[in-house]
């Protein structure tokens, strides 16, 4: 367990974000600030309080935008490091959780979740998987990458990203206590998602619906990179058996390769998803209504 006293920023701003007075009607699609090159996580704190972070290797920084993608402020979280931040979530007590558990090579032994509390303290939760015995495992068993989680009912719920092309397209649902310590994750369930790997997860404010953003990658004619992505959402589940609920899907139109890796609920029926920048496609976000 790691505990760091945090004094370099006024962290209370992460939890009490003043509304952006120039806000207008929220657009269906909007671009993101240039600093969010590899946007990988989204925490929706309010209509004009959207917190984002970048993917691996970039600065340990949270970015606040309004509901139209305008950058309002940045918060550097040094001395933390961003080895591979993949998702962000929060709980009703005002704690924010940042998942530093990206694991493309399936060989990490330092998986962690940072816990940022309203009293300006940063703790960490360290964990391992109960079913991983080799680092890395054989390619066909490489299902220990992680890019998606959310807080629900006093626990953190994680959904694995299977290996593209070589994997079997199962996502595994793990559970962790939402408190500092060192744990072995509890494997809850798994589900086959045809030609999709999970890169983001969120739960609705009323706790009755969860959503996963997932994508696939291939090469058209053997050399043109293309991708396809979907938002999958589940309802009518019992307790935390999310993947046993009724699944619905909406496809995200995309042809040229792009990566959707961020998602959160605005309300019980609407989500925001975002994609990373590519050579020809800028980083951007869109709102989607989840209809049955």
């Amino acid at each position: 367990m790691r505990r760091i006293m945090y004094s370099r920023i006024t962290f209370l701003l992460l939890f009490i974000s003043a509304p952006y007075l120039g806000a207008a009607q929220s657009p269906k699609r909007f671009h993101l600030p240039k600093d969010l090159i590899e946007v990988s996580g989204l925490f929706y704190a309010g209509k004009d309080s959207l917190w984002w972070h970048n993917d691996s290797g970039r600065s340990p920084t949270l970015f606040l935008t309004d509901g139209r993608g305008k950058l309002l402020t940045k918060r550097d979280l040094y001395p933390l490091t961003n080895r591979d931040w993949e998702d962000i979530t929060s709980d009703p007590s005002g704690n924010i959780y940042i998942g530093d558990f990206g694991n493309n090579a399936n060989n990490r032994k330092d998986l962690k979740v940072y816990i940022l509390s309203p009293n300006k303290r940063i703790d960490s939760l360290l964990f391992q998987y109960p079913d991983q015995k080799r680092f890395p495992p054989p390619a066909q068993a490489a299902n220990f990458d992680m890019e998606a989680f959310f807080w629900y009912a006093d626990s953190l719920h994680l959904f694995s990203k299977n290996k593209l092309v070589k994997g079997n397209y199962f996502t595994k649902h793990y559970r962790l206590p939402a408190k500092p310590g060192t744990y072995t994750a509890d494997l809850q369930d798994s589900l086959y998602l045809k030609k999709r790997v999970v890169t983001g997860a969120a739960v609705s404010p009323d706790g009755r619906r969860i959503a996963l953003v997932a994508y696939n990658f291939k090469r058209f004619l053997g050399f043109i990179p293309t991708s396809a992505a979907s938002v999958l959402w589940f309802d009518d589940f019992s307790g935390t058996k999310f993947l046993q609920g009724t699944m619905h899907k909406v496809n995200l139109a995309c042809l040229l390769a792009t990566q959707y890796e961020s998602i959160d609920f605005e309300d019980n029926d609407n989500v925001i998803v975002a994609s990373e920048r590519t050579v020809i496609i800028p980083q951007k976000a869109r709102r989607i209504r989840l209809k049955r």
Side-chain angles (χ1 to χ4, degrees), residues 6-64:
Y6 186 68
S7 60
R8 294 191 60 182
I9 65 172
T10 305
F11 193 72
L12 187 61
L13 291 177
L14 291 177
F15 308 100
I16 307 176
S17 301
Y20 176 55
L21 298 180
Q25 184 177 1
S26 299
K28 184 175 181 180
R29 301 170 187 265
F30 56 96
H31 291 279
L32 295 174
K34 62 180 181 180
D35 290 338
L36 283 167
I37 296 173
E38 291 185 283
V39 58
S40 185
L42 164 64
F43 158 44
Y44 180 87
K47 181 179 178 181
D48 286 299
S49 297
L50 280 64
W51 289 94
W52 312 81
H53 65 73
N54 274 315
D55 209 332
S56 61
R58 301 191 178 273
S59 64
T61 303
L62 296 182
F63 302 82
L64 175 67

Side-chain angles (χ1 to χ4, degrees), residues 109-225:
K109 296 185 178 181
D110 62 343
L111 303 169
K112 64 173 65 71
V113 175
Y114 291 117
I115 306 172
L116 287 60
S117 63
N119 65 7
K120 304 181 184 180
R121 191 179 71 197
I122 300 180
D123 293 316
S124 63
L125 179 167
L126 310 178
F127 71 97
Q128 61 184 1
Y129 300 113
D131 49 338
Q132 183 170 11
K133 309 303 180 185
R134 296 174 60 180
F135 299 84
Q140 64 272 20
N143 194 4
F144 299 101
D145 193 8
M146 188 66 61
E147 296 193 5
F149 80 150
F150 56 74
W151 181 97
Y152 178 75
D154 297 324
S155 297
L156 299 173
H157 298 270
L158 291 67
F159 299 85
S160 69
K161 177 187 177 183
N162 210 317
K163 199 73 174 176
L164 276 169
V165 183
K166 295 183 179 180
N168 57 15
Y169 293 104
F170 272 84
T171 187
K172 294 187 288 186
H173 169 205
Y174 296 92
R175 176 186 170 276
L176 286 168
K179 57 185 179 181
T182 300
Y183 304 100
T184 297
D186 183 14
L187 178 57
Q188 300 280 294
D189 205 352
S190 64
L191 182 68
Y192 171 71
L193 301 174
K194 185 178 180 180
K195 295 183 179 180
R196 293 291 186 272
V197 295
V198 173
T199 54
V203 61
S204 62
D206 64 7
R208 299 178 62 183
R209 177 180 287 178
I210 75 155
L212 307 176
V213 63
Y215 80 101
N216 192 22
F217 172 86
K218 61 182 179 180
R219 294 187 181 275
F220 180 65
L221 299 178
F223 67 95
I224 303 175

Side-chain angles (χ1 to χ4, degrees), residues 255-270:
L255 178 60
L256 297 176
T258 188
Q259 291 179 226
Y260 282 91
E261 295 203 1
S262 308
I263 186 169
D264 205 0
F265 279 85
E266 285 190 291
D267 54 42
N268 294 321
D269 299 311
N270 296 275

